[in-house]
Amino acid sequence: MKLKGVWGVSLVLAAVLASACGQEETAPLPELTPAAVRATRQEVRSSNKVLILGSTVNGGIDSREAQAALAYAPPGVVVDVVTPAQWRLMSATQFMSYRAIVIGDAACTAGEAAFQAAIDTRATWGAIVDGDVVIISTNVSSNNAPQIVENGIRDVISNTLQYRTGMYISLGCAYQSAPANTHVALLEPFGEF
């Protein structure tokens, strides 16, 4: 997350609200602290590792997502592809040790089943993601659009600074038949979707 945008939006919103109310004298705005804008301080140094939820990719370490991570990460990157059971047992500290966390597009599995483990643990991993976040809301597997995957993963890995953890999420076609305004629980750590 980039705090610069949040601060700017907060100040503009405060100015608009104050002027919209027609108040001649306004109380001073409270000073915002990083905690007020959901900034997370890394307690564990993220390393040159990438974590992939295995049920969300095809081929494990040979998947498009893993190969993109290996291609765009600094030399010596380690890619860990874990099962949903292993994912569910991970602590926030363990998630924090990764430079990037990847929830891929497993060729249009039905609904949220492929990433249910991530939904179930969103409070754990969501609290530590403080690097760049890429959310792909199209079905790249069936649409034969590998460059979208590579660009997204490259962006998360190369733009996420030391001591931070970035996130790549591809929703695939999990919501293709969902009615309008369907809540996406997987994305709750980043706001209302």
Side-chain angles (χ1 to χ4, degrees):
M1 295 176 79
K2 294 185 177 156
L3 294 179
K4 186 184 331 176
V6 174
W7 285 105
V9 170
S10 298
L11 294 175
V12 169
L13 183 59
V16 169
L17 289 174
S19 66
C21 293
Q23 297 176 350
E24 291 179 20
E25 284 188 41
T26 58
L29 293 174
E31 185 174 324
L32 295 176
T33 63
V37 291
R38 197 193 165 274
T40 303
R41 180 174 172 258
Q42 288 281 31
E43 299 297 331
V44 174
R45 179 178 179 170
S46 62
S47 61
N48 209 16
K49 297 188 314 181
V50 175
L51 176 66
I52 299 177
L53 177 56
S55 58
T56 67
V57 298
N58 289 321
I61 196 68
D62 294 322
S63 67
R64 180 179 290 154
E65 293 85 349
Q67 291 304 303
L70 289 167
Y72 296 114
V77 70
V78 173
V79 175
D80 293 335
V81 181
V82 300
T83 66
Q86 291 169 316
W87 181 284
R88 282 185 174 95
L89 293 175
M90 292 180 70
S91 67
T93 302
Q94 289 171 308
F95 282 113
M96 195 179 294
S97 71
Y98 288 91
R99 182 178 190 136
I101 301 171
V102 175
I103 298 173
D105 178 9
C108 238
T109 58
E112 300 172 331
F115 49 81
Q116 189 61 52
I119 293 172
D120 295 343
T121 58
R122 66 192 178 274
T124 304
W125 58 259
I128 62 89
V129 173
D130 61 351
D132 282 10
V133 175
V134 171
I135 300 170
I136 309 292
S137 61
T138 187
N139 176 14
V140 295
S141 293
S142 297
N143 290 327
N144 196 23
Q147 197 60 44
I148 294 173
V149 174
E150 279 107 20
N151 289 345
I153 290 179
R154 181 183 61 218
D155 184 65
V156 168
I157 291 173
S158 62
N159 289 336
T160 297
L161 304 173
Q162 191 176 30
Y163 295 102
R164 295 189 181 267
T165 300
M167 184 98 186
Y168 170 90
I169 298 174
S170 180
L171 297 175
C173 57
Y175 299 97
Q176 72 179 2
S177 300
N181 299 319
T182 295
H183 177 76
V184 182
L186 177 65
L187 302 180
E188 283 177 2
F190 311 113
E192 181 65 33
F193 292 87

